[in-house]
Amino acid sequence: MVLERTFIAIKPDGVQRGLVGEIICRFESKGFTLVGLKLVQVSRELAEQHYGVHRERPFFSGLVEFIISAPLVAMVWEGDGVVASARKIIGATNPLTAEPGTIRGDFGVNIGRNLIHGSDAIETANSEIALWFLDEELVSWQPSLSGWIRE
Ligand code: DAT
Ligand code: MG
């Protein structure tokens, strides 16, 4: 497996509902490594850039308004296959159809309040990490438990 990094954001609904700790716990417990973390009041410009791929979709303006409405928690997680694995931990886009055991399946009911963002591919992860974090905000470190988590 290749050590990857992915961009994860706990959206404003997750922060307001007090789910930051619970959500971080899911990634920590899995065995991934936190390498970047900050609470951000997002600018409209950053939100529009982040969701640029959805610019033509009918939900785009509502999505941007939601993302900038209150602080979110931006994170970078590192680990073997973390990009695809995080998407599984997060669950399907619509929380109503997301499997129980996933973050969206356990805590959400509405597609417009689905709690969390995760990069959908390695290339997307790289560009989202560069969009949200400066190089010096990311910390490369070796958890002392790593020998008990990966061979
Ligand atoms: P994901 O967040 O699972 O990668 P996406 O990239 O297709 O999903 O969409 C980005 C966000 O836009 C999604 O988390 C919630 C919102 N969204 C997507 N489809 C929507 C829809 N049909 N109605 C309202 N919001 C939607
Ligand atoms: Mg997406």
Side-chain angles (χ1 to χ4, degrees):
M1 289 300 290
V2 184
L3 204 57
E4 299 171 359
R5 286 182 173 183
T6 195
F7 173 69
I8 301 290
I10 304 173
K11 295 180 183 180
D13 52 338
V15 177
Q16 295 291 328
R17 290 177 55 193
L19 292 171
V20 171
E22 169 74 38
I23 289 172
I24 288 176
C25 188
R26 302 260 173 141
F27 295 95
E28 276 185 328
S29 307
K30 175 73 172 169
F32 292 134
T33 304
L34 184 62
V35 296
L37 173 72
K38 58 185 175 183
L39 183 74
V40 190
Q41 180 64 59
V42 182
S43 67
R44 183 177 299 275
E45 188 188 8
L46 176 57
E48 288 180 350
Q49 255 183 292
H50 174 74
Y51 280 124
V53 66
H54 298 304
R55 201 171 290 275
E56 306 304 325
R57 310 284 287 277
F59 57 82
F60 178 72
S61 62
L63 179 60
V64 169
E65 293 302 331
F66 166 55
I67 289 298
I68 67 174
S69 65
L72 62 67
V73 172
M75 302 182 281
V76 177
W77 287 88
E78 183 178 84
D80 297 320
V82 68
V83 176
S85 179
R87 292 282 292 189
K88 288 193 169 187
I89 290 168
I90 289 168
T93 303
N94 187 341
L96 271 189
T97 54
E99 293 292 331
T102 66
I103 292 167
R104 288 169 172 167
D106 285 350
F107 299 114
V109 291
N110 183 268
I111 196 167
R113 297 289 182 270
N114 66 3
L115 297 156
I116 179 165
H117 166 85
S119 306
D120 61 10
I122 291 175
E123 308 77 60
T124 323
N126 291 337
S127 59
E128 290 178 349
I129 291 167
L131 179 65
W132 286 83
F133 284 88
L134 301 169
D135 280 348
E136 57 264 35
E137 291 178 313
L138 300 176
V139 180
S140 295
W141 62 291
Q142 175 96 341
S144 55
L145 280 178
S146 61
W148 300 102
I149 291 171
R150 54 201 302 269
E151 277 190 328

